[in-house]
Amino acid sequence: MRNGNLFVISGPSGAGKGTLVRHALSQIDDAWVSVSATTREPRRGERDGVHYFFMDEDGFSAMAERDGFLEWARYAGNGYGTPRASVEEHIARGEQVILEIDMQGAFQVREKMPEAKLVFIEPPSMAELERRLRQRGTETDEAIAERMATAELELSRKMEYDKQLVNDDLESAVAELVGYINEQAQEQRQ
Ligand code: 5GP
């Protein structure tokens, strides 16, 4: 059995982290993806406990206060956090635990667990990023502008991550991510 490891997948909203992680999962036997808590409203088709644990502000603050999050941050006006207990359980079971979180969260995780591997997912270009955000059709113009501004900031710090990966061609990006996770897990094996 491999040792458990923590991988943080981060990068601009619309860079395609979710799709990438979904495809990578089927190629890594012992991978587990954490389900975050958020105060944002569910998008159409999103289910509680599957895509997110949807919480109100009071519930979210209470969980943050009792140190129930490994990390948490505010993004575009909403709270997002990684439930600590389940992440710790899955690492202890020897799994490759994957968090799909924003940049603020990624650096908080590095502070608390310096052995975590931080992966930055880069969109092919800013124009393509905007096109993907618009194509989703779920965000207002204002929300898209806010996400684009945040993306600029995130891109300026990409070299602080352990690994950078451009999500241009999905198949090769998935192969690169799977390769990186397996290689790191192998190195950590006792
Ligand atoms: P969205 O609203 O598009 O689902 O997510 C917005 C941003 O929040 C994305 O960059 C996503 O990766 C990030 N995010 C999702 N869950 C968490 C979390 O638990 N913690 C942090 N810090 N960011 C998260």
Side-chain angles (χ1 to χ4, degrees), residues 11 13 17 36 40 43 52 71 73 75 80-82 100-102 105 136 147:
S13 170
K17 295 174 298 232
S36 296
R40 103 156 148 61
R43 293 190 187 121
Y52 280 107
E71 61 72 36
Y75 182 98
Y80 291 86
T82 303
E100 197 197 307
I101 62 177
D102 89 321
R136 258 189 205 167
R147 280 171 191 240

Side-chain angles (χ1 to χ4, degrees), residues 80-97:
Y80 291 86
T82 303
R84 174 197 298 281
S86 49
V87 166
E88 289 174 350
E89 273 164 32
H90 285 268
I91 295 177
R93 274 189 220 161
E95 294 174 357
Q96 311 311 316
V97 171

Side-chain angles (χ1 to χ4, degrees), residues 142-160:
E142 197 188 338
I144 289 174
E146 191 175 354
R147 280 171 191 240
M148 289 299 293
T150 305
E152 295 271 9
L153 184 72
E154 290 170 320
L155 278 159
S156 73
R157 298 191 65 182
K158 71 173 183 181
M159 294 318 288
E160 293 174 52

